[in-house]
């Protein structure tokens, strides 16, 4: 049996009287691309926010590599190897593309604060490694020519790529992507799908994805969970989900 990376059980999230997520359960396995789809307001982003430590769930258990991370804050969850992007790109818009990738490595620099203050050789070495790493990721994402441009001035598709690079540079084991194809044109969507697939193979990561673009979802997902009104409706392979009468009804009506 393949290793379970993320396990979510009996997840419930209430906002006052509203039950946004109701008894959601799923596993993400090693190297898997697992997608969550569903109509607007189905609870997908709320699941993401619970899993990534932005919300503390009302009920349920979330574990990452067997370790209980339920209700742990996002920086702790990130230290366990889970990072995420957001529906609206959240970059440091006034910093350059390169600077965004340097800042992202701040917590991972091997030399400490004192070494930095005294500008010791160990700090210089780790700064050089961070710079090389940032350039490697700019290359991987096809952003090398834009290294010195302010992130806020990049085309939207490039900002999305930079945001994924900023996650990947922290060497995650599980990458959460919240609507990464939103606002992209058809060619950019195709490129994105190829890139996500390449990332999981080359860097041996698992991916948890929320997306509205059905062709992208059907193209790259290993398994899909469909949510409706906070509840999990169906979980299965893309072809199972595509042909499921409940799913067709949820999307198209009776
Ligand atoms: N912080 C919050 N406070 C109150 N209600 C919230 C909050 N976050 C989400 N909700 C509500 O929870 C429900 C699920 O929202 P959620 O954003 O998780 O859905 P979604 O499936 O991600 O939708 P979309 O596809 O439009 O992004 C909605 O009714 C939403 O209004």
């Amino acid at each position: 049996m393949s290793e379970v990376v993320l396990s979510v059980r009996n997840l419930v999230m209430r906002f006052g009287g509203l039950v946004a997520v109701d008894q959601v359960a799923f596993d993400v396995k090693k190297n898997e691309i697992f997608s969550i789809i569903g109509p607007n307001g189905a609870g997908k982003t709320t699941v993401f926010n619970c899993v990534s430590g932005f919300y503390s769930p009302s009920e349920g258990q979330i574990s990452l590599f067997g370790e209980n991370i339920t209700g742990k804050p996002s920086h702790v969850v990130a230290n366990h190897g889970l990072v995420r992007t957001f529906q609206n790109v959240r970059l440091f818009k006034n910093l350059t593309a390169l600077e965004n990738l340097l800042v992202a490595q701040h917590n991972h620099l091997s030399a400490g604060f004192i070494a930095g203050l005294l500008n010791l050789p160990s700090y210089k070495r780790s700064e050089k490694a961070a710079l090389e790493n940032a350039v490697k990721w700019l290359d991987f994402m096809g952003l090398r020519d834009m290294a010195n441009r302010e992130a806020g001035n990049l085309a939207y598709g490039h900002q999305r790529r930079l945001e994924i690079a900023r996650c990947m540079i922290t060497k995650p084991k599980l990458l959460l992507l919240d609507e990464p194809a939103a606002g992209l044109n058809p060619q950019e969507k195709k490129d994105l799908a190829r890139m996500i697939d390449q990332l999981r193979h080359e860097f041996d990561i698992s991916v948890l994805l929320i997306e509205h673009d059905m062709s992208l979802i059907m193209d790259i997902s290993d398994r899909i969970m469909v949510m409706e009104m906070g509840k999990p409706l169906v979980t299965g392979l893309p072809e199972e989900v595509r042909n499921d009468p409940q799913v067709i009804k949820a999307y198209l009506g009776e």
Side-chain angles (χ1 to χ4, degrees):
M1 203 181 76
S2 43
E3 185 188 347
V4 171
V5 169
L6 177 75
S7 163
V8 174
R9 292 288 173 272
N10 311 106
L11 187 68
V12 177
M13 184 73 207
R14 296 187 200 93
F15 297 108
L18 175 83
V19 187
V21 171
D22 194 3
Q23 294 294 334
V24 165
F26 63 94
D27 288 334
V28 179
K29 295 174 190 159
K30 191 167 182 338
N31 225 227
E32 181 176 42
I33 299 181
F34 186 94
S35 299
I36 306 179
I37 62 170
N40 290 330
K44 306 179 295 293
T45 298
T46 306
V47 169
F48 254 44
N49 285 337
C50 291
V51 166
S52 54
F54 285 81
Y55 291 160
S56 183
S58 311
E59 290 174 31
Q61 304 82 41
I62 304 168
S63 46
L64 189 63
F65 294 102
E67 188 149 341
N68 184 6
I69 57 160
T70 320
K72 298 248 168 85
S74 55
H75 67 276
V76 174
V77 173
N79 283 339
H80 282 84
L82 185 158
V83 294
R84 69 171 292 184
T85 65
F86 293 86
Q87 238 169 64
N88 306 312
V89 175
R90 292 192 191 179
L91 291 165
F92 295 109
K93 306 247 168 178
N94 297 324
L95 297 185
T96 66
L98 179 69
E99 285 164 347
N100 266 278
L101 296 186
L102 291 174
V103 169
Q105 294 176 86
H106 184 74
N107 285 341
H108 297 258
L109 287 184
S110 51
F113 174 73
I114 300 293
L117 213 59
L118 302 175
N119 206 16
L120 296 178
S122 62
Y123 187 76
K124 283 190 188 152
R125 269 196 307 276
S126 90
E127 262 197 324
K128 184 167 175 272
L131 184 62
E132 284 168 2
N133 206 16
V135 171
K136 182 189 95 180
W137 275 104
L138 288 170
D139 270 339
F140 188 93
M141 294 290 176
L143 298 171
R144 177 76 174 260
D145 293 347
M146 295 150 214
N148 295 318
R149 284 178 52 191
E150 283 186 11
N153 291 335
L154 297 179
Y156 193 63
H158 293 145
Q159 291 193 25
R160 286 244 172 240
R161 280 172 170 261
L162 183 59
E163 202 185 23
I164 295 175
R166 196 178 60 172
C167 289
M168 288 303 302
I169 211 162
T170 67
K171 302 194 174 87
K173 298 183 184 104
L174 175 61
L175 177 65
L176 273 60
L177 299 174
D178 193 349
E179 294 193 34
L184 301 188
N185 66 37
Q187 185 56 49
E188 286 174 329
K189 283 181 188 174
K190 275 193 192 139
D191 293 344
L192 176 76
R194 251 200 319 273
M195 189 255 280
I196 294 171
D197 200 39
Q198 193 184 356
L199 285 178
R200 66 108 161 231
H201 283 123
E202 279 193 32
F203 300 93
D204 204 24
I205 57 168
S206 308
V207 179
L208 178 59
L209 179 70
I210 297 178
E211 188 46 67
H212 282 287
D213 188 284
M214 281 304 151
S215 61
L216 185 133
I217 284 283
M218 292 296 164
D219 188 19
I220 64 168
S221 307
D222 295 309
R223 289 185 305 140
I224 299 170
M225 177 173 77
V226 186
M227 289 184 67
E228 191 193 23
M229 296 172 74
K231 294 184 197 304
L233 195 62
V234 177
T235 303
L237 302 172
E239 55 274 25
E240 290 168 348
V241 164
R242 195 201 316 259
N243 297 319
D244 190 284
Q246 291 187 84
V247 176
I248 295 168
K249 186 174 148 197
Y251 273 92
L252 303 176
E254 288 286 1

